[in-house]
Amino acid sequence: MHEKKLKGDIGVTQVIAKLTELNWSVGIPISEHQKYDIFAEKNGIVHTVQVRYTTPKKDKITIKLANSWSDKNSVHTKIRKKGDYTLLAVYCPSVGVFFIKEKELGKNGRQLNLRLTPSKNKQKKGIKFAADFTII
């Protein structure tokens, strides 16, 4: 099995476990060609959920929002667009699971950074802290 696919599967199972712990109902789409990996419902509200597995580097978590793949013709990149999914769930081994609503993703369709610790210069404006995304 490809390591990237295995990490994706681990991320999905960890997010399903966390959502179940939080009393959400979780489902998996029949087709794996959707823009989301799972869907989750609580209190009558259904979210389409894209799952990412990532490893922290230094004091931040970098989450790639674009998908890349290659075939015999070339390398392709698909950038996230508004409406592709309503919730981004990020599994980060040894750190936890984070949930980012679509409105928090901003306009950058390629990547998002979450800080694990405050910056040295105490800057807070425009910085997203991972600790703010542990509960949905």
Side-chain angles (χ1 to χ4, degrees):
M1 181 180 273
H2 293 91
E3 183 178 347
K4 199 171 187 180
K5 175 74 173 134
L6 179 59
K7 284 182 177 181
D9 291 345
I10 291 168
V12 168
T13 58
Q14 292 294 321
V15 168
I16 289 172
K18 186 64 174 179
L19 286 168
T20 303
E21 241 178 62
L22 295 171
N23 225 12
W24 285 69
S25 296
V26 181
I28 300 171
I30 293 171
S31 170
E32 67 176 61
H33 302 292
Q34 303 298 325
K35 295 176 182 177
Y36 52 90
D37 296 306
I38 60 176
F39 50 91
E41 181 271 332
K42 188 171 186 179
N43 301 326
I45 298 171
V46 177
H47 285 279
T48 53
V49 184
Q50 175 61 241
V51 177
R52 291 287 192 253
Y53 177 112
T54 189
T55 306
K57 291 187 176 112
K58 296 187 181 182
D59 58 354
K60 73 177 180 178
I61 299 168
T62 299
I63 306 144
K64 293 181 181 174
L65 302 175
N67 290 321
S68 298
W69 71 95
S70 61
D71 59 22
K72 64 180 179 177
N73 298 316
S74 67
V75 175
H76 309 276
T77 301
K78 183 168 181 153
I79 297 171
R80 178 199 65 85
K81 293 181 186 157
K82 185 177 180 183
D84 282 352
Y85 43 87
T86 60
L87 191 64
L88 175 66
V90 180
Y91 171 64
C92 192
S94 77
V95 181
V97 177
F98 304 95
F99 299 100
I100 302 125
K101 292 182 180 176
E102 183 180 45
K103 68 181 180 180
E104 296 287 339
L105 294 174
K107 295 179 182 176
N108 182 347
R110 293 188 182 273
Q111 78 175 31
L112 172 72
N113 293 311
L114 298 179
R115 298 240 354 150
L116 293 169
T117 60
S119 62
K120 291 177 184 173
N121 64 5
K122 309 285 187 217
Q123 177 186 348
K124 291 183 181 177
K125 186 177 180 182
I127 293 179
K128 295 183 186 303
F129 290 96
D132 295 336
F133 299 97
T134 56
I135 307 279
I136 51 171

